[in-house]
Amino acid sequence: MSENHHQTVSDTLYGDRLREECGVFGIFGHPDAAALTTLGLHALQHRGQEAAGIVSFDGKNFFAERRLGLVSDHFTKANVLDQLQGTSAVGHVRYSTTGETVLRNVQPLFADLTGGGFAVAHNGNLTNALTLRDELVKQGAIFQSTSDTETILQLVARSKRVNTLSRFTDALFQIEGAYALVVMTNKKLIGARDPLGIRPLVIGELDGAYILASETCALDIIGAKFVREVENGEIVIITEDGLESVKPFPPMEPRPCIFEYIYFARPDSTVGGKSVYECRKAFGRQLAAESHVDADVVIPVPDSGVPAAIGYGEASGVPFELGIIRNHYVGRTFIEPQQSIRAFSVKLKHNANRIHVAGKRIILIDDSIVRGTTSVKIVQMMRDAGATEVHMRIGAPPITHPDFYGIDTPDQDALLAAQNSLDEMCAHIGADSLAFLSVDGLYQAMGYPEGRDPKRPQFTDHCFTGDYPTGLTDQQGDEKLHQLSLLAEQG
Ligand code: AMP
């Protein structure tokens, strides 16, 4: 490893924390396992566009293919799919913000353990991975990647327990943070969700074969039936004998991540029994109830602002029009990790539909503001197209805190709402007015789950409240390092 390379790895680990957005998929006992996994990953592509991987098993051998780029760029090709023999497969799509996008970080990760091969695909982010990694490295562990998922692999490998499931469970007891995991061994497909169920994972069935996937849209694409969600803190074990469930953790109330509903999940998915699309429409209706302003037209920032804008239009009676047209050959705004390219890509992605903008007072709806880059560009685009007033309305509360559980958000100092008042934000984006959905309004729009205390929080809403529901061991480690370096500077 070159000096330079070494620098990158340690920067990745200790400078800019690892943050990953991902989608996972697994299937057990189907003759078209790899092809179905490819389709499932394609449906989950919005969860990660930098890399994709599939590991399959044919009863004897494991086969792995990992590629940088989109699923459809690589995995539809016969020469790649043909390599992925077998009736079981696990797949992963990944988007990581960290400097390194190298193949060794592309999942599923695979290792030959005492009990045989072990492939793991992870959506979520561990909040004590670096701390554990430090300890493991001191004990002699050799890490191949910079991914926090490898920490899980190392913990399973080192567990003194006797069988794969108990070794895996042993590892889960040591990790902290968010995970939806799909594991494939030579006998089993295993799914696991963290004790709070922060990241989603559903069970499906096709032709008698069980499937695990991040979202229901991955079941729809292959015509699979939705069976149920994997519950928070649950491990499901799929073998030739069927599906078995264990719940090794003390029971906790689930706290799925609210951001899945706001932005991350596909609107045609059902998460926690709720249609993501309908939730977003409800956010829009609530937004109209909270902060309506007189205007001629409601315009969404496509695609993510569309359902909320439909809801807003319905509730306010202001006509909804597609005043911005999106070029579908450009991925999500965040795809380019550098700020300079990200700003440019907004122009690549959207164009004003002048006929519905010129001479109009418009209410512009987006699902969220993170850095503010999109809003600045779009407001300007509306003015350039002749809008007389631009009122920005956001279908989520202000994002004031970074995410550590697998949604890409920048450090707090780059979050527009963490650094500015509402008036400052409005001035920054150049709108005539700006309003966000309130946190109470968000909960109201989500509805309160039956049988639960109708009080917050039923979701993980730290991005808006700073209420992180798990330990943040690595952050505390960072804080300690920061204090030490300050002391060193003073000394
Ligand atoms: P920004 O331009 O930094 O304010 O980002 C806000 C835009 O990015 C909105 O249009 C959202 O649809 C989208 N967005 C919000 N959160 C994320 C995320 N975690 N990853 C990718 N895109 C996001």
Side-chain angles (χ1 to χ4, degrees), residues 21 259 263 301 304 332-334 342 366-375 399 407-409:
E21 302 184 327
F259 218 70
Y263 170 80
V301 179
S304 49
R332 286 188 162 192
T333 321
F334 267 42
R342 192 180 299 117
D366 204 354
D367 66 289
S368 56
I369 290 183
V370 183
R371 296 173 177 85
T373 320
T374 310
S375 307
I399 298 177
I407 300 267
D408 165 47
T409 47

